[in-house]
Amino acid sequence: MQYEVIKVNPMTARIGAEIEGVDLTKPLDNRTSHEVHEALKEHCVIFFRDQELDHDSHKAFGRLFGELHVHPAIPGPEGHPEILPIHADKTSTYIAGERWHSDVSCDEEPPLGSILHLHTVPEFGGDTLFSNMCAAYDALSDRMKAYLDGLTARHDGEQQYRGRYKDMVSDDSRMVYPSADHPVVRTHPETGRKALFVNPIFTMRINDVPRLESESILRMLHEHCANADFHVRFRWKPNSVAFWDNRAVQHLAIWDYFPNTRSGYRVTVKGDRPV
Ligand code: SIN
């Protein structure tokens, strides 16, 4: 891809690029928006620096890529249900995304992508890791690819969400959390590449195989996806933005900065049913 208006600086051969020449606080023209979209397709996760987004400009940027998603468990700030707070400080007992996952993969139609803006970051630590699930799939043996072909897996939000967000939701006893069956290997709707689509947070079991077999295969796939060969590691600064393609990557937030504060907001773009 020949980029004319943005500068794309790849961070590894397989995943991640830092983008220059874009001001996300202002409406993007068609060419810039197209190039950002192409960079996301090419690099699976893209990063921007020095973007002082507010909720409106954050949502406007997200809407260039599709309708916005409302999180099934975590409420947004007043008047902004599509904004997901990502916050940890000295009072926190958990953080969002501490294990590898693709966001809300338990939805029938899991998100296309997520755009995280952090305004406050610790002096050290708090990086996010991203792993390329297309590269992870490509690296499997032909025998394993043939075994996984056609398998589906159950993804469930219940065990992840129920009772977890007591600081934000006082009583979730009436809430129904999403669950869905998805192919273990999905085909990316835009690039046509195959990607592994199981993760340790939401994937409960591979369907139609014995329990021990499901557990063993999932354990192997999770270990495989955690291989650093497929990774990029992002070091945040205040007002950095990460935009990842949930159909092509998993990510993991590292909580190595307690009791310091790390804070910002995420906008999530709706996706379609994995095939
Ligand atoms: C998440 O969206 O899973 C959180 C990622 C992060 O805080 O780095």
Side-chain angles (χ1 to χ4, degrees):
M1 167 74 192
Q2 200 62 37
Y3 297 98
E4 287 167 12
V5 291
I6 66 171
K7 187 156 186 296
V8 177
N9 304 314
M11 294 162 71
T12 78
R14 286 189 170 140
I15 177 171
E18 203 160 315
I19 309 296
E20 290 179 54
V22 190
D23 181 353
L24 301 181
T25 66
K26 306 224 167 70
L28 301 193
D29 59 56
N30 289 346
R31 179 71 207 176
T32 308
S33 163
H34 173 70
E35 290 195 5
V36 168
H37 200 144
E38 289 299 311
L40 181 69
K41 269 164 47 183
E42 191 173 353
H43 297 282
C44 303
V45 54
I46 51 179
F47 306 102
F48 306 81
R49 299 287 188 189
D50 303 317
Q51 307 287 337
E52 289 193 36
L53 292 176
D54 59 17
H55 292 336
D56 289 326
S57 52
H58 197 170
K59 291 197 290 190
F61 178 55
R63 285 197 178 106
L64 293 175
F65 300 88
E67 275 180 59
L68 300 187
H69 174 268
V70 174
H71 198 276
I74 305 172
E78 185 79 34
H80 297 280
E82 317 90 337
I83 297 276
L84 179 74
I86 297 286
H87 179 90
D89 62 25
K90 62 179 186 308
T91 68
S92 299
T93 53
Y94 68 89
I95 63 156
E98 224 186 328
R99 287 184 296 151
W100 286 106
H101 65 291
S102 174
D103 289 320
V104 205
S105 71
C106 52
D107 267 355
E108 288 282 350
E109 296 183 338
L112 173 161
S114 303
I115 303 164
L116 177 61
H117 170 245
L118 294 185
H119 51 78
T120 305
V121 299
E123 192 179 352
F124 308 108
D127 296 358
T128 308
L129 286 177
F130 298 86
S131 183
N132 183 336
M133 291 300 101
C134 302
Y137 175 78
D138 291 346
L140 293 172
S141 70
D142 288 343
R143 283 173 188 272
M144 182 50 65
K145 286 177 184 163
Y147 172 81
L148 297 177
D149 185 37
L151 288 177
T152 63
R154 188 78 182 154
H155 295 237
D156 196 346
E158 176 71 26
Q159 32 77 44
Q160 172 65 12
Y161 297 142
R162 177 81 57 206
R164 187 150 198 246
Y165 302 108
K166 289 197 178 72
D167 48 336
M168 289 182 270
V169 182
S170 52
D171 175 14
D172 71 349
S173 56
R174 291 190 164 175
M175 284 168 90
V176 178
Y177 293 116
S179 60
D181 288 328
H182 296 307
V184 171
V185 178
R186 71 181 295 180
T187 302
H188 193 286
E190 293 181 90
T191 64
R193 287 186 75 184
K194 288 187 172 183
L196 280 172
F197 198 64
V198 290
N199 66 79
I201 285 195
F202 294 110
T203 311
M204 306 310 295
R205 62 175 182 279
I206 298 177
N207 297 320
D208 305 320
V209 301
R211 183 182 55 80
L212 181 60
E213 186 173 321
S214 162
E215 285 171 6
S216 305
I217 294 288
L218 283 177
R219 197 176 319 116
M220 183 278 289
L221 292 176
H222 297 335
E223 197 175 320
H224 177 69
C225 294
N227 183 334
D229 283 1
F230 314 131
H231 294 179
V232 66
R233 180 172 178 141
F234 185 59
R235 174 97 185 88
W236 293 89
K237 294 180 188 162
N239 291 316
S240 298
V241 170
F243 183 2
W244 60 89
D245 183 336
N246 277 300
R247 305 162 300 183
V249 304
Q250 292 190 39
H251 60 285
L252 164 76
I254 303 172
W255 196 14
D256 55 358
Y257 52 91
F258 182 86
N260 295 308
T261 299
R262 179 180 183 273
S263 194
Y265 298 98
R266 193 181 90 194
V267 157
T268 310
V269 182
K270 284 186 183 177
D272 40 28
R273 179 180 276 278
V275 289

